[in-house]
Amino acid sequence: MMADQFPWLTAIVLLPLAASLAIPFMPDKDGKTIRWYALGVAIADFVLMCWVFWTHYDPSISTFQMVEQYSWIPQLGIKWSVSVDGLSLPLVLLAGLVTTLAIFAAWQVDRKPRLFYFLMLLMYSAQIGVFIAQDLMLFFIVWELELIPVYLLISIWGGQNRRYAATKFIIYTAAASVFILIAALAMGFYGGGNLTFDIAELGLKDYPLNLELLLYAGLLIAFGLKLAVFPLHTWLPDAHGEASSPVSMILAGVLLKMGGYGLIRLNLELLPNAHVYFAPILAILGVINIIYGALNSFGESNMKRRLAYSSVSHMGFVLLGIASFTDLGVNGALLQMISHGLIASVLFFLAGVTYDRTHTMSMDEMGDIGKVMPKVFALFTAGAMASIALPGMSGFASELSIFVGLATSDTYSASFRAVTIFLAAVGLILTPIYMLSMLREMFYNKGVAPTCDINGVPVQNSGGKGLLEEAVCFGNSCVLPSEAVFVDAQPREVAIAFCFLIPILGIGFYPKLATQMYDVKTVAVNAEVRQSYIQIAEQNPQIYAKGFLLPKVARVQKAPTLGKIAESESVPVLGIVK
């Protein structure tokens, strides 16, 4: 780090952590002071990162910027090394926005508020640390640190089966994280010389193809589980189904994106040769995610579990973009992560708003509540339209980029591209079916007079003609007037929803608002991956046809001049090449 440069990135990471340490000592009886304090810290950190990136970040540079390095554990070669580039900057801003609004959404938390807001601020720091860590071992440490507050937030403030969901989450993610540690040690020790975990230096090493394939497979397991890639996704519906809405906002808006970020940062950027062999697998997994997630979402009657499977489906597009070998495809993958982070966060927030009124997550017990909550209905509809990739919203721009990127890829044969795009399009057709049916079940009249019992007395919602005329009925659930809370969205809730919907619409109408931050970086990453593909394909033009039932890879005639061509050898690996 330059002597005259203030450590802005370190300040951004440590501000929420340092501020959280003061919460146990703050005088507060009802939690109001602490929630204002936590919200103030979150806003201050988000404003700080916006100002720092606006004044210090140059989007025309593809390399790491604002590098800050301090010796931490020199005996092990571990440094406090943080920096930003086009891959990390938009996700840092996304994490700051989502976490700040999640803290604002948790305004009514009255159970152990000190611990709750302490964990939220701790998670804030850990998330930012993951995206800006330039030391791979530091990356692993903050990756693991983020698991602790998520586990506690689910297990303490979750639903009826919260302990099961929290335990499943921690076991799955912690076990998969071991592969990150193994990969970090393998890359750090490889080649002799000085031990280093610096990502920029690790990218300069020339790993044998066998080692690259093993490292890639391990990291794919670790990041694929975080991204909820089939069949490693099963923790996600349980976690979302039991977590409180503010925690679900962070799970869907930020934590899933950590998996996609890891795939691009480490698998593509550090292991481009192995990516050539794994790319068709990623494309196949992406299609499976899209269709499988959509079908499961349609079959769910629990509102949050339906949204959780919707996230599984949308993450399949990220895999397709990463596997496309095109600038537009990789660019679209990152845009899809940003877009889905905003859309999923607002939908899970509005699910929590609805639950606060109806006291149920079962859509079978809802119906016709749009009449009494028109603002919630309007906001939920806007979020659902964004999720189905309506033109003019961010989801349309990101998914269109991925489709066009894959369709124009000269890496795969025309038949493989056609089949992949067709199957992915099936998922697009299923998305409006399950999203619009969710709106219908929740907000529209189902055409029957709902009946239920209150204290053993049958009640029918028949326009004031039931046995208990004062009862309030929605769907198959009835409550007494003293227990009914059918208040429409309050100003705080409308403000939170608009903070998500405005960037969703802004990116939808003008995608360059987001893409200009990382265009140069994604082009540079894809150029290196393509050059690795070119050298391998020149020696083995049928690599995708051997060992997999896939079409023959297209033969590239000429290599571009940008980037480097890593030396690669044709060796027997997994039955792919001879």
Side-chain angles (χ1 to χ4, degrees):
M1 187 188 70
M2 299 297 294
D4 59 345
Q5 179 183 353
F6 185 82
W8 292 113
L9 295 180
T10 300
I12 290 172
V13 175
L14 297 183
L15 175 59
L17 175 61
S20 68
L21 299 177
I23 290 180
F25 308 101
M26 295 179 61
D28 189 17
K29 294 183 179 180
D30 53 7
K32 293 182 179 179
T33 302
I34 292 175
R35 71 187 184 190
W36 277 109
Y37 172 77
L39 179 62
V41 171
I43 293 176
D45 203 44
F46 181 64
V47 171
L48 176 62
M49 68 176 67
C50 289
W51 177 82
V52 168
F53 295 152
W54 179 265
T55 57
H56 293 76
Y57 176 77
D58 184 356
S60 65
I61 300 176
S62 63
T63 55
F64 289 111
Q65 303 179 47
M66 303 174 62
V67 179
E68 302 169 10
Q69 291 186 351
Y70 306 92
S71 179
W72 186 14
I73 310 177
Q75 296 84 352
L76 299 178
I78 302 176
K79 301 177 182 178
W80 174 269
S81 179
V82 293
S83 61
V84 292
D85 63 357
L87 298 181
S88 56
L89 182 137
L91 297 177
V92 171
L93 293 174
L94 176 67
L97 177 63
V98 172
T99 309
T100 299
L101 294 176
I103 291 175
F104 199 20
W107 210 241
Q108 297 177 345
V109 171
D110 55 3
R111 182 186 181 190
K112 300 181 180 179
R114 292 179 185 272
L115 180 59
F116 180 87
Y117 290 110
F118 170 81
L119 293 173
M120 292 290 280
L121 292 179
L122 177 61
M123 184 164 52
Y124 196 163
S125 283
Q127 291 168 354
I128 303 300
V130 168
F131 293 128
I132 69 173
Q134 187 178 333
D135 185 278
L136 190 50
M137 194 59 69
L138 175 63
F139 174 89
F140 169 75
I141 292 172
V142 290
W143 182 282
E144 291 292 284
L145 179 63
E146 163 267 331
L147 303 180
I148 300 172
V150 176
Y151 168 77
L152 294 175
L153 286 167
I154 296 176
S155 62
I156 298 176
W157 290 272
Q160 185 176 3
N161 297 320
R162 59 187 181 274
R163 290 188 178 88
Y164 167 79
T167 303
K168 188 174 183 179
F169 164 79
I170 197 70
I171 291 176
Y172 273 53
T173 52
S177 300
V178 173
F179 291 100
I180 302 177
L181 176 61
I182 295 174
L185 293 173
M187 288 188 282
F189 281 102
Y190 178 78
N194 295 329
L195 175 63
T196 180
F197 297 104
D198 187 272
I199 292 177
E201 296 181 19
L202 294 178
L204 299 176
K205 292 186 177 183
D206 187 15
Y207 305 102
L209 181 58
N210 279 337
L211 178 59
E212 272 204 31
L213 290 168
L214 291 174
L215 293 174
Y216 194 105
L219 292 173
L220 179 59
I221 294 173
F223 298 137
L225 186 140
K226 201 75 164 186
L227 193 65
V229 175
F230 178 89
L232 306 174
H233 68 285
T234 57
W235 63 272
L236 185 65
D238 292 324
H240 273 306
E242 300 302 325
S244 62
S245 289
V247 178
S248 287
M249 291 169 63
I250 297 175
L251 275 173
V254 183
L255 266 64
L256 290 182
K257 312 309 173 287
M258 291 166 55
Y261 170 78
L263 283 175
I264 300 176
R265 170 67 73 199
L266 300 184
N267 291 57
L268 263 70
E269 195 169 14
L270 299 188
L271 307 170
N273 292 329
H275 180 69
V276 174
Y277 293 89
F278 275 93
I281 300 176
L282 293 185
I284 294 172
L285 290 175
V287 170
I288 293 174
N289 255 50
I290 292 170
I291 297 179
Y292 173 84
L295 291 174
N296 276 273
S297 182
F298 184 73
E300 285 288 346
S301 60
N302 182 288
M303 178 170 44
K304 290 182 68 176
R305 289 182 66 90
R306 176 168 291 198
L307 294 176
Y309 276 112
S310 174
S311 295
V312 173
S313 180
H314 283 89
M315 289 301 97
F317 290 101
V318 175
L319 292 177
L320 287 181
I322 292 175
S324 67
F325 287 97
T326 62
D327 297 342
L328 189 59
V330 178
N331 189 298
L334 193 52
L335 185 61
Q336 174 73 349
M337 289 193 284
I338 298 169
S339 171
H340 180 266
L342 298 170
I343 296 171
S345 296
V346 71
L347 287 174
F348 277 109
F349 166 69
L350 292 171
V353 171
T354 306
Y355 176 81
D356 290 340
R357 273 73 172 172
T358 63
H359 305 291
T360 181
M361 283 292 177
S362 175
M363 292 181 291
D364 295 335
E365 299 176 358
M366 299 182 190
D368 209 23
I369 63 176
K371 294 180 180 178
V372 291
M373 296 188 294
K375 293 180 183 177
V376 175
F377 174 41
L379 294 172
F380 222 124
T381 301
M385 294 301 103
S387 182
I388 67 176
L390 189 72
M393 293 187 168
S394 60
F396 176 79
S398 60
E399 293 180 11
L400 180 63
S401 298
I402 293 170
F403 270 99
V404 175
L406 185 61
T408 57
S409 176
D410 60 355
T411 304
Y412 303 104
S413 67
S415 58
F416 178 74
R417 283 178 284 155
V419 172
T420 303
I421 293 172
F422 172 78
L423 293 176
V426 172
L428 285 183
I429 297 173
L430 294 173
T431 303
I433 295 177
Y434 66 73
M435 290 303 297
L436 296 180
S437 67
M438 181 179 71
L439 294 178
R440 176 182 56 81
E441 292 182 51
M442 293 172 58
F443 296 104
Y444 289 90
N445 194 325
K446 298 181 179 179
V448 296
T451 60
C452 57
D453 292 341
I454 294 182
N455 298 327
V457 180
V459 179
Q460 184 177 28
N461 188 3
S462 54
K465 298 180 181 179
L467 189 58
L468 291 178
E469 297 183 4
E470 299 296 327
V472 179
C473 297
F474 56 93
N476 296 321
S477 179
C478 296
V479 295
L480 294 174
S482 59
E483 300 173 349
V485 186
F486 284 95
V487 181
D488 204 359
Q490 299 299 294
R492 174 183 62 88
E493 296 164 333
V494 173
I496 293 174
F498 267 91
C499 285
F500 287 116
L501 293 175
I502 289 174
I504 289 173
L505 290 170
I507 295 174
F509 281 103
Y510 190 63
K512 195 174 180 180
L513 287 174
T515 60
Q516 64 184 351
M517 292 186 288
Y518 58 82
D519 269 336
V520 174
K521 180 63 179 183
T522 53
V523 169
V525 171
N526 187 60
E528 186 170 352
V529 172
R530 282 189 60 83
Q531 291 198 12
S532 295
Y533 156 74
I534 289 168
Q535 177 156 345
I536 295 174
E538 285 177 348
Q539 299 175 6
N540 307 282
Q542 298 183 9
I543 57 172
Y544 290 174
K546 298 180 180 181
F548 302 100
L549 296 177
L550 297 176
K552 185 174 70 173
V553 67
R555 181 185 290 272
V556 175
Q557 301 297 330
K558 185 178 179 180
T561 57
L562 296 176
K564 66 177 183 179
I565 299 179
E567 294 186 1
S568 179
E569 213 173 48
S570 177
V571 295
V573 180
L574 303 178
I576 300 176
V577 298
K578 286 186 177 180

